[in-house]
Amino acid sequence: MVGTALLVLLGCGVVANVALVKNKGFNGGFLMVNIGWGFAVFSGVIVSYNSGAHLNPAVTLGLVANGATEFGSGVPVNIVSILTYIAAQLLGAIIGAVFVWLAYKQHFDEEPDAANKLGVFSTGPAIRSYGWNLVTEIIGTFVLVFVVIGFGRQEPGGGLAALGALPVAILVIAIGASLGGPTGYAINPARDLGPRIAHALLPIKGKGGSDWSYSWVPVVGPIIGGVLAGLAAVPLLPILT
């Protein structure tokens, strides 16, 4: 929960810095957003390392599909632990989003465009086409989870907790720079759904709607991509690595 809250605080925070008027980082560009999200992941992984550094339900489910038997330090994989991790990730994402709003409250008040306000919290497509947007999220999340599992295989014992945080951060920057343009690369159901819930509930001046018609794409796409990556890694990674 703490790791995902920090991820969203810093990740959505860099979007607020770039997107909302009168910020020092205003119009800083998409690469600044990519870098900010990468180091948001780095920070979240560092503080949640002992639990396995799960900040993302797609990673959690991908590891399950890959045959993981435990999360973190001795936490067995079962339905209770899976649901606990996912619930904690979602709650952490909501908490992180609330703190972003508090940090940028005056800038949210000054921002005239409701779409920019929503864009701080959740992703949206550059070209709205639900099927193709879903494909983009599946591909991006597949890359994330497949490479994360590959990182784990490089360390004795494997597993996400065996990673260094920096390789994952670099991977997220790379995915954003290479595959993030079409949809804003949610690649994480909690990262998108949690802040979208916060956007719907918070008293944000002139916020408009929360685009619930699109909200299923950054949830379903990453779950499919993560599970496919976990399954694909079983036969492929032993050969490749």
Side-chain angles (χ1 to χ4, degrees), residues 12-128:
C12 291
V14 72
V15 179
N17 196 12
V18 169
L20 301 180
V21 294
K22 298 185 179 181
N23 275 307
K24 294 183 183 296
F26 183 60
N27 281 337
F30 193 55
L31 185 58
M32 178 175 167
V33 172
N34 298 158
I35 294 170
W37 271 107
F39 284 103
V41 170
F42 176 87
S43 302
V45 168
I46 289 294
V47 301
S48 60
Y49 201 78
N50 194 50
S51 68
H54 291 218
L55 315 178
N56 183 344
V59 172
T60 301
L61 295 174
L63 292 174
V64 172
N66 189 243
T69 57
E70 66 176 33
F71 295 142
S73 300
V75 180
V77 174
N78 54 48
I79 188 63
V80 174
S81 63
I82 293 169
L83 293 177
T84 300
Y85 270 59
I86 292 174
Q89 291 156 353
L90 183 61
L91 179 59
I94 295 171
I95 292 169
V98 171
F99 278 102
V100 171
W101 174 66
L102 292 173
Y104 283 91
K105 171 64 168 59
Q106 291 180 298
H107 299 274
F108 277 107
D109 290 345
E110 293 285 338
E111 174 59 51
D113 189 343
N116 285 345
K117 296 177 184 182
L118 175 60
V120 170
F121 291 89
S122 55
T123 61
I127 300 174
R128 188 173 293 255

Side-chain angles (χ1 to χ4, degrees), residues 58-59 61-63 65-66 138-150 153 222-237:
V59 172
L61 295 174
L63 292 174
N66 189 243
I138 290 171
I139 293 171
T141 313
F142 182 96
V143 172
L144 172 69
V145 176
F146 191 77
V147 178
V148 160
I149 293 172
R153 289 175 182 266
I223 289 174
I224 294 173
V227 171
L228 289 177
L231 295 173
V234 174
L236 287 179
L237 277 178

Side-chain angles (χ1 to χ4, degrees), residues 155-202:
E155 297 288 343
L160 187 57
L163 304 179
L166 187 58
V168 184
I170 294 171
L171 172 62
V172 170
I173 295 170
I175 293 171
S178 300
L179 299 170
T183 61
Y185 79 122
I187 61 173
N188 181 339
R191 168 266 173 274
D192 194 274
L193 181 58
R196 198 180 297 269
I197 292 171
H199 176 271
L201 297 177
L202 286 169

